[in-house]
Amino acid sequence: MDLVMETSTHNGWSVISAAGELDLHSSPELTDAITGALEQDHPHIGIDLTRVSFMDSTALGVLVASLKRARERGGELALVGAGGSPLKVLSLTGMADGVFPMLPSVEDLEPR
């Protein structure tokens, strides 16, 4: 399944909603979307993983690098709705345990 991404805003956060697979082939699209948000001076980014069916270590690397870049700009990168494959990758690597803010839904992003 190809990756489809939409960008919106919620409570001052730039929200990138992904649907499909986040892997070696689609990770550049995720990088571009996050970079675009950071370049528009939106350092608070929520990545909505609710409709992501598969995530590999390449996508995880993009998320970790992006978290660092967001924090360098005084922001944050939160993961929203992680389940299935994304949650498994995050859990196995220890990233779900306090590295990333993990929220159940976009509505849980606190106002900025």
Side-chain angles (χ1 to χ4, degrees):
M1 178 179 185
D2 291 335
L3 180 67
V4 177
M5 287 193 299
E6 298 173 0
T7 303
S8 61
T9 58
H10 182 76
N11 283 343
W13 289 74
S14 182
V15 178
I16 299 169
S17 299
E21 297 182 356
L22 287 173
D23 57 19
L24 176 65
H25 300 291
S26 62
S27 287
E29 291 177 60
L30 179 61
T31 300
D32 290 346
I34 295 169
T35 300
L38 289 172
E39 288 175 352
Q40 292 179 14
D41 203 26
H42 289 115
H44 291 72
I45 301 171
I47 307 294
D48 186 354
L49 300 172
T50 306
R51 298 180 298 148
V52 173
S53 58
F54 176 80
M55 186 172 91
D56 70 6
S57 60
T58 306
L60 179 62
V62 168
L63 294 174
V64 171
S66 298
L67 173 67
K68 181 180 179 199
R69 290 174 50 213
R71 287 182 175 168
E72 286 170 351
R73 289 168 171 77
E76 188 63 82
L77 189 135
L79 303 180
V80 177
S85 173
L87 184 58
K88 184 174 182 178
V89 170
L90 292 161
S91 296
L92 287 173
T93 58
M95 297 292 156
D97 298 325
V99 175
F100 287 99
M102 305 277 291
L103 304 169
S105 73
V106 170
E107 288 73 33
D108 293 305
L109 292 169
E110 293 185 11
R112 296 285 169 205

